[in-house]
Amino acid sequence: MRNYQASLFEAIWNGKDDSFSHAGLAVYRQNLLMNAERALSISYPTVVELVGEEFFSMLARTFVGQEKLVEGDWGMWGNTFPDWLGQLENLSPFPFIADSARLDLLCHLAEREQSHITPAGCPQADADLSQLHIHYCAGSQLLDSIYPIVDIWMAHQTKNPDERQQCLSSAKHKLSQGRGQKAVIWRPAWKALVREVEPSESDWLDLTMGGVSISDALDQLSQRFVLADWLIQSTGEGLVTGFY
C-alpha cells in the first residue's frame, strides 16, 4: 500500500505515469498545481507584486518540477524558489527579484518559528559584559543584498499610495547608483518586521547574533556604535528580548 501511494504521489507530481489513469492523474495534478501556486503566493507576496499574478502563476507551475513536497507541509515548501528565480534568463533584467524572494522567505520562516523563552531582562550595572550575550526574538536574521530590497519590500507592504511611491522612488534611485541594503528581519508578535541596517549596526548584529559577547563585540567594532541608544531602540521594537 505504501509503495502504491508513493508511486501515485510521484505520478501526480511528475504529471505522467502509464500505470495510472491519465484522466484521474490530470484531476489530481490540477489540484496539486493550485496548492503549489497558493503556497508560493503566501510565502512570496513581494514577488507576486513584482511580476504580476499571471506570470507568477506560470512560475509556480514550472517550479513544481524543481522541488518535491516533503512531509505534506505546503508551508515549508518552496525554500529553493529564490535560487531558482535567480537562474531564470527571462528575469535577468530584474536581478533584484531573487533577493526580494529571499527576504520574503526569511519573513515567512520567521512567522512560522516558535517563540523563544525570554531570558531575564536588563543586566545589572556590575554585570560582566564579557560573559553576557544578547537574546534576539524569534526569526531574527540578517540579509545582505547589492539591491535595495528593504525599499522594495516596504513599497509592497504599505497601503498608502504616497508611501509606496516614496519607497519605489528610493529603490529606483539606489538601483541607478548600484547601492544595496542590508535587512534585519525579526518577529516580535505574529507578523515579521523588516528594516534597513546601517553599517555600524550591521557589524554589531553580525557579531552578537553569532553569539559573541557584548564586550567582545564592542571591542571588534571598527565604527562608532552607541550601545545604550541601540538597546533603547531594539528593546522598544522587540528585536532584543533579554540577555543570557
Side-chain angles (χ1 to χ4, degrees):
M1 181 66 176
R2 180 174 299 178
N3 289 338
Y4 175 83
Q5 290 177 332
S7 298
L8 177 60
F9 177 80
E10 195 70 22
I12 294 170
W13 199 271
N14 295 328
K16 57 183 178 180
D17 189 323
D18 292 338
S19 302
F20 300 94
S21 163
H22 289 187
L25 282 181
V27 174
Y28 283 118
R29 175 72 174 177
Q30 182 59 28
N31 184 62
L32 180 144
L33 292 175
M34 291 174 62
N35 285 332
E37 182 179 342
R38 182 175 183 275
L40 285 184
S41 67
I42 292 172
S43 301
Y44 299 97
T46 306
V47 180
V48 176
E49 294 282 344
L50 287 170
V51 304
E53 292 184 4
E54 184 174 347
F55 188 69
F56 187 85
S57 176
M58 184 198 72
L59 289 174
R61 289 167 179 259
T62 305
F63 177 71
V64 165
Q66 307 299 313
E67 181 182 330
K68 289 292 194 299
L69 178 66
V70 178
E71 297 180 359
D73 186 354
W74 282 108
M76 294 303 295
W77 178 75
N79 289 0
T80 63
F81 189 58
D83 291 338
W84 180 76
L85 289 176
Q87 298 171 2
L88 296 181
E89 290 186 8
N90 54 355
L91 289 181
S92 59
F94 313 100
F96 54 85
I97 290 180
D99 274 2
S100 294
R102 292 184 178 95
L103 181 52
D104 272 349
L105 176 60
L106 289 179
C107 291
H108 175 68
L109 294 177
E111 290 173 0
R112 289 178 61 89
E113 185 173 325
Q114 290 187 349
S115 296
H116 308 309
I117 297 176
T118 303
C122 295
Q124 299 296 322
D126 60 349
D128 183 359
L129 297 186
S130 67
Q131 301 298 318
L132 199 63
H133 304 261
I134 295 175
H135 193 282
Y136 290 94
C137 84
S140 297
Q141 294 283 342
L142 293 171
L143 179 62
D144 199 359
S145 176
I146 60 174
Y147 306 108
I149 53 172
V150 177
D151 288 346
I152 294 171
W153 186 86
M154 293 294 295
H156 296 93
Q157 290 292 309
T158 180
K159 302 297 183 182
N160 186 304
D162 293 335
E163 291 180 358
R164 178 184 176 92
Q165 187 56 48
Q166 184 178 1
C167 291
L168 289 175
S169 296
S170 178
K172 289 177 182 177
H173 179 66
K174 288 185 176 72
L175 283 171
S176 67
Q177 294 187 324
R179 292 169 52 197
Q181 290 178 305
K182 190 165 190 174
V184 60
I185 303 97
W186 75 107
R187 197 210 71 209
W190 62 275
K191 184 174 176 58
L193 301 179
V194 175
R195 66 169 171 81
E196 182 178 6
V197 176
E198 297 300 329
S200 60
E201 184 186 10
S202 172
D203 294 340
W204 169 258
L205 290 174
D206 276 329
L207 292 166
T208 54
M209 283 185 174
V212 177
S213 71
I214 292 177
S215 66
D216 289 346
L218 289 171
D219 289 342
Q220 294 179 46
L221 293 180
S222 59
Q223 302 186 57
R224 182 175 182 272
F225 180 76
V226 183
L227 176 59
D229 292 346
W230 179 83
L231 280 175
I232 292 173
Q233 175 189 343
S234 59
T235 54
E237 66 190 7
L239 176 60
V240 170
T241 59
F243 303 87
Y244 65 97

